[in-house]
Amino acid sequence: NSLVGFIGSDQIDTTISVSDDAPASATVTDGAAPTIAKSFSPAVILPDGISTLTITLSNPNGTDLTGTAFTDTYPDGLVNANPTNSSTTCGGTLTAVAGEASLSLSGGTIPASSSCTVSVDVTAAAEGTYTNTIGIGDLTNTQGLSNEVAASDDLLVQGIGIAKTLTATSQTNTSGSNVSIGEIATYQVLLTIPAVTVPNVVVDDILPDGLAFVDCASITPSSINLTTDLAGGFADACND
């Protein structure tokens, strides 16, 4: 291609060579991003207890998202229970091995304008807070649409705490733990129970030689959420 121009009496001759042997191409992804939500139920368990992890995949688009896949890697100490009781409504292949610290889905389908779920039972032996996160972009599919927001939830593993404190003595001429022969000492045993159902709680206080048990003064729950199925309530527990 040649362009000829004149500026005053000067001539400008510009030659432009154009060669384009390859056709133009572009990848265009059209659609709204899918979303992920996750939750533990219950959110608080005892050590070695069981919680069900549920992951919900949602598709805001008017067409199915196919070939859906993701991998959820758990924090250290959190593993799939045995049995895993894993299941999905997303189809595809769900992999969750007992004792392993992850689950994965491949080849799944999130229905148009709907959602599907993946669930598995998990457990942890050590107390602590376990934060489980699926990061941005970890959810993929054939349509090339991935999650733009991370999904995260916490599982609290908490054991029963116990503390014992000397609260009173029967004689005024002694102080602290220095008591006289025959004096009565009152101890408080404080149990800290997590927000879970704990069946058949038994507290054994083995007294050292020379001490004898006199009476159980009272058992007082610190919250209305603490209940017992004993007919006489916590008073019966004290009498036992």
Side-chain angles (χ1 to χ4, degrees):
N1 296 321
S2 181
L3 298 177
V4 179
F6 292 91
I7 301 177
S9 60
D10 296 325
Q11 175 179 312
I12 301 174
D13 185 350
T14 302
T15 301
I16 303 173
S17 297
V18 179
S19 175
D20 187 2
D21 297 329
S25 65
T27 300
V28 178
T29 300
D30 186 19
T35 60
I36 308 179
K38 61 171 34 184
S39 64
F40 289 100
S41 181
V44 181
I45 60 173
L46 295 169
D48 297 316
I50 302 295
S51 179
T52 299
L53 168 62
T54 299
I55 300 170
T56 302
L57 311 179
S58 298
N59 174 15
N61 299 283
T63 56
D64 294 350
L65 295 181
T66 58
T68 296
F70 72 88
T71 296
D72 185 9
T73 302
Y74 309 152
D76 290 344
L78 184 67
V79 297
N80 295 321
N82 187 12
T84 64
N85 293 319
S86 58
S87 64
T88 181
T89 62
C90 303
T93 301
L94 175 62
T95 303
V97 179
E100 296 294 320
S102 67
L103 70 82
S104 63
L105 175 72
S106 62
T109 297
I110 313 177
S113 303
S114 188
S115 61
C116 61
T117 60
V118 173
S119 64
V120 63
D121 285 351
V122 296
T123 186
E127 294 186 47
T129 299
Y130 295 84
T131 302
N132 181 214
T133 302
I134 296 177
I136 295 173
D138 286 350
L139 176 64
T140 61
N141 48 64
T142 304
Q143 289 69 34
L145 299 169
S146 60
N147 61 303
E148 296 178 350
V149 178
S152 184
D153 198 27
D154 292 339
L155 174 65
L156 175 61
V157 179
Q158 184 178 3
I160 298 176
I162 187 167
K164 186 176 182 179
T165 306
L166 175 65
T167 59
T169 57
S170 61
Q171 296 183 19
T172 59
N173 62 325
T174 59
S175 62
S177 58
N178 298 313
V179 296
S180 301
I181 296 175
E183 186 173 0
I184 297 175
T186 301
Y187 285 89
Q188 180 187 68
V189 178
L190 178 64
L191 294 179
T192 303
I193 300 177
V196 296
T197 299
V198 184
N200 303 320
V201 175
V202 176
V203 178
D204 288 327
D205 188 0
I206 308 301
L207 301 179
D209 291 343
L211 289 182
F213 180 75
V214 177
D215 187 24
C216 174
S218 64
I219 295 181
T220 305
S222 61
S223 167
I224 60 173
N225 295 322
L226 288 173
T227 60
T228 177
D229 57 5
L230 292 172
F234 285 101
D236 271 7
C238 195
N239 293 332
D240 285 347

